Amino acid sequence: MNSAELEARAALMRVADAGDTMMGRLVAHSGAPAAVRAIRERTIPPEFAAQEAQHQPLAKLDQRLSTWHARLAAADSAGAPEADLVAGERLGARLIVPGSPEWPTQLDQLGATRPLGLWLHGTVDLRFSCLRSVAIVGARAATPYGVHVAAEFGLGLGEDGWTVVSGGAYGVDGAAHRGALASDTPTVVVLACGVDISYPRGHHELFAAVRDQGVIVSECPPGVHPTRARFLIRNRLIAALSRGTVVVEAALRSGALNTATHALGLNRHLAAVPGPVTSTLSAGCHHLLRERKATCVTTPEEVIELVGTIGGDLAPSARGPAVPRDALSEVTRKVLDAVPSRGGTGPASIALSAGVSLDATLSALGGLAAAGYIERVEKGWRLRRASASYRKADTTLPDPADSTGADTFIEPPPSVVPASSVVPMSSVVPASSVVPMPSVVPASSVVPMPSVVPASSVEPPTSVELAARADPPANVEPTPRGEPQCESGVAREGRTVREG
C-alpha cells in the first residue's frame, strides 16, 4: 500500500462521517486520491454526479460536497492527515486500509458502507484473529444472569480458539471480553471513538489488557469522541468482522438488536440466549426467537456448532443423568414395575400383571434379586426397602413395612403408664416393714389410701403425731383434701405414705 493512498484515506476519514454511503460510492468510483482532489476543488466528476442523480437530487449532493470541503479545509489547517499518522505512530497505533495485508476481507461485504480505513491498537493481527470469531453483544445495564452468561460464553469460546468481538461497553460487552482474556485468547474491541480514548472510562484497565492480548479497532481518527450516531454505525463492524452474533440480553429498544439487524443483513448467523420471561432485558432476545430470526443457544458449544464448520464442530448431545434402570431389558423392566412395594406377591401374580410368561418372570426375578432391586418375603417378592437413616433428633420413625414413611408409629411418652400396670405396694413391700418418720414429714401430709392399703392395717397415731396435726410446722402446707392420690403408694413430692 503506497503512502499516497494511505494519506488520502486518512484525510477522507476526517472529512466524511463513518458509514457515509455517498463517500463510499465516490471512493469506489474515482479512488481515494481523486476524491480528495475533487472535494478540495469542489468539482464532482460528471459521471459520478449522473450516477448519484438516480438515487437522490443533485441539490443534496452539492450540500454534501460543501460540508466535505469545509471539513477538509479545517483538517488541512490542522496538519491532517500527516498529524493523524504521526499521532497514531506515537501511540503505537497503525492505520490499515483496503488492500493492506491485515485488512479483513469480510468487511468488503458492507458495500458502500465499508470503512475507509481502520485504526488498530494492539498486538495481534486483525485479519487472522477474525478468521474464527464470534460477536457477543447485549445490554449495558445487564443483570447478574446476563453478565454470567456473557463471561461463560467468552471463556468457552476462547478455550476452543475462537476470538470474541464486542464493543467494550459496560455489562455484557465487558463480561465477554474478560471471559476471553481469561482464556488467553485474543479479543477484539470495536470502539465508537478514537483508539486513544477509553470510553467508557471505567474500562481503562480492560482496554489496556486488550491491547496486550488483543486489538482495539476504530474507524474514527485519534482524538475523536463518541456520539450516539457513531455507536449505531459502529455496530455494523461488529457484525461484519465475525462469523455470527450472539445476543445475550437485550430490551425491545436496544443497540444489541441493531447489531442483530446488521448480522441478518450480511447473512451472518444470529443466535440469542433465552432469559426469564419476566425480565425486560430478555424481551428482545425472546422477540428474535419468536420471529425465528435467531437460533436459541445456551452453551458455548452450541454457538460453535452454529458458526463452525458443518460436521466438524458439533456440540455434544444433551442427555439426562443415567440411572441403573436404563440398563435393564424391556421384559425385566416390566417385571420390576409389577413387583409391589409393600406386602409381597408370588411370581404368578407378577407375571400376570407384567404380561410376560412365567419362565421369563422367574428369570427376571432372579436377576433383579441379585442386583438388589427386590427381596423375598413371606408372601413372595417385593421391592427392596432403602436403608433407613435415623436422626438424633426426636422425630417419628418410618414403619418398617413402608419405605415411603407414609405409615408411622409413635412410641408412648414415658410419663404415661397404664393403670393396669401399677402393682400395689402391699404385694411388694410388707406393710409391717414401713417405718414411721414423724421427725421428717408431718403426719398431716399422710393421705389415707383405702383403695390400696386396708384401713385395719394402719397403726393408730401416736401422741407426737397428734400434736403435729394440731400445730403443723410453718414451712409445710397441709395437704388439700381434693388432691389426687398416687396409685402406687410411694413418696410423691416430698410426702411419704406409710403402709401397714
Side-chain angles (χ1 to χ4, degrees):
M1 182 62 59
N2 55 53
S3 59
E5 181 74 14
L6 199 67
E7 292 179 359
R9 287 184 174 270
L12 293 177
M13 293 173 68
R14 284 286 182 180
V15 170
D17 295 327
D20 191 337
T21 56
M22 186 178 296
M23 177 61 74
R25 289 190 293 268
L26 177 60
V27 172
H29 179 272
S30 305
V36 172
R37 290 193 300 269
I39 294 173
R40 184 173 284 116
E41 299 172 358
R42 302 187 67 173
T43 57
I44 295 295
E47 299 84 359
F48 177 74
Q51 178 182 345
E52 287 297 312
Q54 300 176 0
H55 303 283
Q56 53 190 341
L58 292 178
K60 188 174 183 179
L61 177 60
D62 294 338
Q63 181 181 2
R64 187 71 58 85
L65 180 61
S66 300
T67 303
W68 291 343
H69 178 76
R71 290 177 179 178
L72 182 60
D76 290 340
S77 62
E82 293 81 2
D84 291 339
L85 297 176
V86 173
E89 184 178 359
R90 184 171 60 251
L91 291 171
R94 58 192 182 274
L95 176 64
I96 63 171
V97 297
S100 299
E102 200 174 348
W103 181 263
T105 56
Q106 60 263 41
L107 293 179
D108 298 341
Q109 298 180 9
L110 292 173
T113 62
R114 184 185 66 174
L116 299 170
L118 292 176
W119 286 94
L120 309 180
H121 194 185
T123 57
V124 301
D125 185 277
L126 179 62
R127 180 178 182 178
F128 180 77
S129 300
C130 292
L131 292 178
R132 288 165 52 92
S133 60
V134 176
I136 300 179
V137 296
R140 289 176 296 174
T143 63
Y145 164 78
V147 172
H148 171 77
V149 172
E152 185 181 74
F153 276 36
L155 178 63
L157 291 170
E159 289 178 345
D160 285 338
W162 288 79
T163 301
V164 174
V165 181
S166 194
Y170 288 129
V172 170
D173 293 11
H177 289 306
R178 291 187 178 92
L181 292 174
S183 65
D184 296 331
T185 305
T187 182
V188 178
V189 177
V190 183
L191 297 179
C193 55
V195 294
D196 57 335
I197 296 178
S198 296
Y199 187 88
R201 295 182 180 179
H203 281 175
H204 177 76
E205 296 181 358
L206 174 62
F207 294 157
V210 172
R211 294 186 185 98
D212 294 336
Q213 189 173 321
V215 61
I216 295 180
V217 180
S218 176
E219 57 181 327
C220 299
V224 175
H225 292 273
T227 61
R228 179 178 177 83
R230 288 178 180 144
F231 279 112
L232 296 176
I233 296 173
R234 176 274 314 262
N235 291 338
R236 81 192 193 285
L237 298 181
I238 297 177
L241 286 173
S242 57
R243 288 192 184 182
T245 300
V246 179
V247 183
V248 176
E249 272 189 333
L252 292 177
R253 289 180 56 87
S254 174
L257 296 185
N258 178 260
T259 307
T261 302
H262 286 297
L264 292 175
L266 294 170
N267 292 324
R268 299 289 202 274
H269 295 288
L270 179 62
V273 178
V277 296
T278 57
S279 175
T280 57
L281 290 178
S282 294
C285 298
H286 298 160
H287 177 73
L288 292 175
L289 295 174
R290 177 179 172 81
E291 298 295 328
R292 300 186 179 182
K293 296 179 179 179
T295 303
C296 179
V297 293
T298 57
T299 61
E301 292 76 15
E302 293 177 354
V303 177
I304 296 174
E305 180 181 9
L306 179 65
V307 301
T309 57
I310 299 176
D313 295 311
L314 296 177
S317 301
R319 297 185 60 184
V323 296
R325 290 198 178 197
D326 294 342
L328 300 178
S329 64
E330 182 180 359
V331 174
T332 306
R333 284 197 298 267
K334 289 182 178 180
V335 173
L336 181 59
D337 292 339
V339 176
S341 60
R342 300 183 61 181
T345 187
S349 299
I350 296 175
L352 182 62
S353 178
V356 298
S357 63
L358 182 60
D359 293 339
T361 301
L362 292 174
S363 177
L365 288 175
L368 291 173
Y373 287 98
I374 60 177
E375 61 182 355
R376 183 185 292 275
V377 294
E378 181 180 358
K379 296 182 179 181
W381 295 94
R382 73 174 181 184
L383 297 179
R384 182 180 293 275
R385 297 169 303 170
S387 58
S389 59
Y390 299 95
R391 300 181 180 178
K392 294 184 178 181
D394 187 13
T395 58
T396 58
L397 303 178
D399 189 350
D402 184 8
S403 60
T404 62
D407 299 330
T408 57
F409 66 89
I410 303 176
E411 295 181 354
S415 59
V416 179
V417 181
S420 59
S421 62
V422 178
V423 181
M425 290 296 296
S426 58
S427 62
V428 179
V429 182
S432 58
S433 64
V434 178
V435 181
M437 300 180 64
S439 60
V440 179
V441 181
S444 58
S445 62
V446 178
V447 181
M449 302 180 65
S451 60
V452 179
V453 182
S456 59
S457 62
V458 180
E459 296 180 359
T462 61
S463 59
V464 178
E465 294 176 352
L466 294 175
R469 292 179 182 179
D471 188 13
N475 59 347
V476 179
E477 296 181 359
T479 304
R481 291 190 174 272
E483 184 177 356
Q485 306 302 325
C486 179
E487 297 183 10
S488 60
V490 295
R492 184 179 183 272
E493 298 182 0
R495 296 187 293 273
T496 304
V497 177
R498 293 187 302 109
E499 300 182 359

